[in-house]
Amino acid sequence: MGFYLNLFLILVSIPAILAQEIRVAKIVVDGTATVAETDENFICATLDWWPPTKCDYNQCPWGNASVTKLDLSHPILAKAIQAFKHMRIRIGGSLQDQVLYNIGNLKSPCHPFQKMKDGLFGFSKGCLYMRRWDELNLFFAKTGAIVTFGLNALYGRHKIKRGVWGGDWDPSNTKDLMAYTISKGYQIDSWEFGNELSGSGVGASVGAEQYGKDLIKLKDVMNELYKNSTLKPSLVAPGGFFELEWYAKLLKVSGPRVINAMTHHIYNLGAGVDPSLESKILDPSHLSKISETFNNLQQILQRHGPWASAWVGESGGAYNSGGHHVSDTFVNSFWYLDQLGMASKYNTTVYCRQSLVGGNYGLLNTSTFVPRPDYYSALLWHRLMGKGVLAVDTDASSYLRSYAHCSKGRAGITLLLINLSNQTDFIVKVENRMNVNFHANGKTTQGEGSLMHNIKRTVSWVGRKASDGPLYREEYHLTPKDGYTRSEISLLNGIPLKLTDEGEIPSLDPVHNGVNSPLYIAPLSLAFVVFPNFDAPACV
């Protein structure tokens, strides 16, 4: 039925199509070898420390989303995490290096965060009470979350000059927190050291040499405390903005197998108040600029730290809480899914979105926890895109972005297609590198006769084993409600994505189309396309 429905939609839309630009695009996927690999649980989201009084641009969008205030009893919050089965959650953010753990012999009082004019980021030091730590860990165990906890890397240091901190890190408070965590049987997947202290820092910085020595110290603490544990957490660092020389020096100083993952942060869209946010999101040249950072980090790890993997530890697109009516709407998924696809190609194994809840860039609404469009984009990626990343060649314009992975938990491949154009319809021909010789042939077509001719030309089997499986593909087309890119509601194959009447995450069902039928990608739309019978030896 899916094929006939799709064909019907194409035919009835021909009058509208003919008024636009139509291009036939060839995409050739190489399934013979993977070019990169992600973690099984690549999708990650953050929980931050910002209190309700965190405000930007006369907005205060954090509400009670702080780690210390978040309503852990809310059923939608739990269900949103459980929909991933195992969702990575990173606890951290700007105030992370001012958090004291209310355990052991603290050297200063432990109070909640308060506004403080001379404090780092305008706030005092804050407190994590063990009662709250217990609540958080029980919640994580119930929801199946995989937890990364960001540690205070400024504890015991002193300010040398404006923005620069020196002196040895004092591990005592961290050691007490870890010992308590182990005694309670809480499972922490990884401990992260510091937040945005690398290079010139954001608010505060620590030199790479000192940072590296302190990482060795932290690793020794972890080895000592976890020596009798079967599950030993990883150590990730530095959780800052990438600066080539600083990151390289950190690896050289800390040495082999101290850091398990190098984390870096990305806010490549600029300030949340920038009126050009949407145009940046839909500009392929702007989106591609960040590839240099991914590539440079990959090269540094290959040269100086092959034992470590690359993580995006925090990425919200636009900084200072994101852009209202942009970061929280459909249009942001063009940036988000393109980031996931691009990062994967450079062996980024984990990608943490700022945030799960809080700010304008939260995957969930700050007060109601109702999922925003990017939540469903993340969930579809998590369910469909496997670990193996495949090479893709295309003759399409830069406005049609394409990424391919081995399908998750099944045979075949999954293709992610992102149409950034507001006027070009793409008719996509997907071919297997094993079977064809790639050559550029994309042309703009106009008129009904030419359109029908090119639709017929797109009919092409994508594997050699046509009889070994289903002769159809699964399609998940995401579009904004009413065609409005800043809609807060995504449509999946034309159906609004909303919670059910019982408050459950809706089922994300594909349409099925014959594998040789035309694959049509509408303007300003996103699509995951699963080819269950694509002949891909790398995915076996």
Side-chain angles (χ1 to χ4, degrees), residues 3 25 72 175 199 250 332 379 414 446 473 503 524:
F3 168 73
L72 303 177
K175 189 172 183 178
L250 182 69
N332 205 59
L379 187 55
T414 300
Q446 292 178 327
R473 61 177 182 261
L524 295 177

PDB file of all heavy atoms in Angstrom, residues 3 25 72 175 199 250 332 379 414 446 473 503 524:
ATOM      1  N   PHE A   3       3.596   1.917  -1.561  1.00  0.00           N
ATOM      2  CA  PHE A   3       4.011   2.315  -2.903  1.00  0.00           C
ATOM      3  C   PHE A   3       2.911   3.114  -3.592  1.00  0.00           C
ATOM      4  O   PHE A   3       3.159   4.170  -4.172  1.00  0.00           O
ATOM      5  CB  PHE A   3       4.369   1.087  -3.741  1.00  0.00           C
ATOM      6  CG  PHE A   3       4.517   1.406  -5.210  1.00  0.00           C
ATOM      7  CD1 PHE A   3       5.622   2.098  -5.664  1.00  0.00           C
ATOM      8  CD2 PHE A   3       3.545   1.036  -6.107  1.00  0.00           C
ATOM      9  CE1 PHE A   3       5.769   2.409  -7.001  1.00  0.00           C
ATOM     10  CE2 PHE A   3       3.682   1.340  -7.440  1.00  0.00           C
ATOM     11  CZ  PHE A   3       4.798   2.026  -7.900  1.00  0.00           C
ATOM     12  N   ALA A  25      19.027  13.082  -8.607  1.00  0.00           N
ATOM     13  CA  ALA A  25      20.323  12.945  -7.938  1.00  0.00           C
ATOM     14  C   ALA A  25      20.679  11.478  -7.803  1.00  0.00           C
ATOM     15  O   ALA A  25      19.832  10.652  -7.441  1.00  0.00           O
ATOM     16  CB  ALA A  25      20.273  13.598  -6.558  1.00  0.00           C
ATOM     17  N   LEU A  72      12.225  14.533  38.821  1.00  0.00           N
ATOM     18  CA  LEU A  72      12.529  13.174  38.386  1.00  0.00           C
ATOM     19  C   LEU A  72      11.317  12.257  38.444  1.00  0.00           C
ATOM     20  O   LEU A  72      11.363  11.138  37.916  1.00  0.00           O
ATOM     21  CB  LEU A  72      13.653  12.594  39.248  1.00  0.00           C
ATOM     22  CG  LEU A  72      14.968  13.404  39.264  1.00  0.00           C
ATOM     23  CD1 LEU A  72      15.967  12.751  40.208  1.00  0.00           C
ATOM     24  CD2 LEU A  72      15.550  13.521  37.864  1.00  0.00           C
ATOM     25  N   LYS A 175      37.363  12.233  45.234  1.00  0.00           N
ATOM     26  CA  LYS A 175      37.617  10.897  45.771  1.00  0.00           C
ATOM     27  C   LYS A 175      36.509  10.477  46.735  1.00  0.00           C
ATOM     28  O   LYS A 175      36.048   9.327  46.709  1.00  0.00           O
ATOM     29  CB  LYS A 175      38.982  10.883  46.480  1.00  0.00           C
ATOM     30  CG  LYS A 175      39.458   9.500  46.881  1.00  0.00           C
ATOM     31  CD  LYS A 175      40.897   9.551  47.384  1.00  0.00           C
ATOM     32  CE  LYS A 175      41.410   8.147  47.714  1.00  0.00           C
ATOM     33  NZ  LYS A 175      42.840   8.174  48.154  1.00  0.00           N
ATOM     34  N   GLY A 199      42.523  25.486  26.348  1.00  0.00           N
ATOM     35  CA  GLY A 199      42.940  26.638  25.554  1.00  0.00           C
ATOM     36  C   GLY A 199      42.766  27.935  26.318  1.00  0.00           C
ATOM     37  O   GLY A 199      43.196  28.087  27.457  1.00  0.00           O
ATOM     38  N   LEU A 250      48.046  18.121  25.673  1.00  0.00           N
ATOM     39  CA  LEU A 250      47.372  17.378  26.741  1.00  0.00           C
ATOM     40  C   LEU A 250      47.600  15.879  26.589  1.00  0.00           C
ATOM     41  O   LEU A 250      47.876  15.176  27.567  1.00  0.00           O
ATOM     42  CB  LEU A 250      45.875  17.689  26.731  1.00  0.00           C
ATOM     43  CG  LEU A 250      45.059  17.014  27.838  1.00  0.00           C
ATOM     44  CD1 LEU A 250      45.417  17.596  29.199  1.00  0.00           C
ATOM     45  CD2 LEU A 250      43.572  17.153  27.582  1.00  0.00           C
ATOM     46  N   ASN A 332      15.668  23.387  13.367  1.00  0.00           N
ATOM     47  CA  ASN A 332      16.921  23.031  14.022  1.00  0.00           C
ATOM     48  C   ASN A 332      17.361  21.616  13.694  1.00  0.00           C
ATOM     49  O   ASN A 332      18.544  21.284  13.785  1.00  0.00           O
ATOM     50  CB  ASN A 332      16.791  23.188  15.540  1.00  0.00           C
ATOM     51  CG  ASN A 332      18.139  23.420  16.199  1.00  0.00           C
ATOM     52  OD1 ASN A 332      18.835  24.378  15.886  1.00  0.00           O
ATOM     53  ND2 ASN A 332      18.515  22.540  17.110  1.00  0.00           N
ATOM     54  N   LEU A 379      15.699  10.216  18.165  1.00  0.00           N
ATOM     55  CA  LEU A 379      15.184   8.866  18.397  1.00  0.00           C
ATOM     56  C   LEU A 379      15.219   8.034  17.120  1.00  0.00           C
ATOM     57  O   LEU A 379      15.570   6.848  17.147  1.00  0.00           O
ATOM     58  CB  LEU A 379      13.763   8.941  18.958  1.00  0.00           C
ATOM     59  CG  LEU A 379      13.118   7.628  19.409  1.00  0.00           C
ATOM     60  CD1 LEU A 379      13.986   6.908  20.442  1.00  0.00           C
ATOM     61  CD2 LEU A 379      11.722   7.888  19.983  1.00  0.00           C
ATOM     62  N   THR A 414      21.015   2.095   6.125  1.00  0.00           N
ATOM     63  CA  THR A 414      20.070   3.201   6.314  1.00  0.00           C
ATOM     64  C   THR A 414      20.710   4.475   5.783  1.00  0.00           C
ATOM     65  O   THR A 414      21.861   4.783   6.108  1.00  0.00           O
ATOM     66  CB  THR A 414      19.696   3.377   7.789  1.00  0.00           C
ATOM     67  OG1 THR A 414      19.086   2.173   8.270  1.00  0.00           O
ATOM     68  CG2 THR A 414      18.711   4.524   7.964  1.00  0.00           C
ATOM     69  N   GLN A 446      12.257  20.080 -16.167  1.00  0.00           N
ATOM     70  CA  GLN A 446      11.003  20.807 -16.078  1.00  0.00           C
ATOM     71  C   GLN A 446      10.042  20.241 -17.101  1.00  0.00           C
ATOM     72  O   GLN A 446      10.454  19.777 -18.167  1.00  0.00           O
ATOM     73  CB  GLN A 446      11.205  22.307 -16.328  1.00  0.00           C
ATOM     74  CG  GLN A 446      11.985  22.987 -15.223  1.00  0.00           C
ATOM     75  CD  GLN A 446      12.213  24.457 -15.520  1.00  0.00           C
ATOM     76  OE1 GLN A 446      12.358  24.837 -16.671  1.00  0.00           O
ATOM     77  NE2 GLN A 446      12.229  25.272 -14.480  1.00  0.00           N
ATOM     78  N   ARG A 473      11.616  -0.775   0.519  1.00  0.00           N
ATOM     79  CA  ARG A 473      12.410   0.036   1.425  1.00  0.00           C
ATOM     80  C   ARG A 473      11.459   0.687   2.425  1.00  0.00           C
ATOM     81  O   ARG A 473      10.273   0.849   2.149  1.00  0.00           O
ATOM     82  CB  ARG A 473      13.226   1.103   0.667  1.00  0.00           C
ATOM     83  CG  ARG A 473      12.391   2.092  -0.101  1.00  0.00           C
ATOM     84  CD  ARG A 473      13.220   3.169  -0.786  1.00  0.00           C
ATOM     85  NE  ARG A 473      12.334   4.105  -1.464  1.00  0.00           N
ATOM     86  CZ  ARG A 473      12.044   4.087  -2.756  1.00  0.00           C
ATOM     87  NH1 ARG A 473      12.580   3.162  -3.550  1.00  0.00           N
ATOM     88  NH2 ARG A 473      11.219   4.975  -3.276  1.00  0.00           N
ATOM     89  N   GLY A 503      -0.036   9.639  27.209  1.00  0.00           N
ATOM     90  CA  GLY A 503       1.245  10.252  27.511  1.00  0.00           C
ATOM     91  C   GLY A 503       2.444   9.429  27.075  1.00  0.00           C
ATOM     92  O   GLY A 503       3.564   9.646  27.563  1.00  0.00           O
ATOM     93  N   LEU A 524      12.954  21.263   1.898  1.00  0.00           N
ATOM     94  CA  LEU A 524      12.978  21.478   3.352  1.00  0.00           C
ATOM     95  C   LEU A 524      12.396  20.283   4.108  1.00  0.00           C
ATOM     96  O   LEU A 524      11.497  20.410   4.938  1.00  0.00           O
ATOM     97  CB  LEU A 524      12.227  22.762   3.715  1.00  0.00           C
ATOM     98  CG  LEU A 524      12.867  24.057   3.195  1.00  0.00           C
ATOM     99  CD1 LEU A 524      12.000  25.256   3.540  1.00  0.00           C
ATOM    100  CD2 LEU A 524      14.271  24.247   3.765  1.00  0.00           C
TER     101      LEU A 524
END
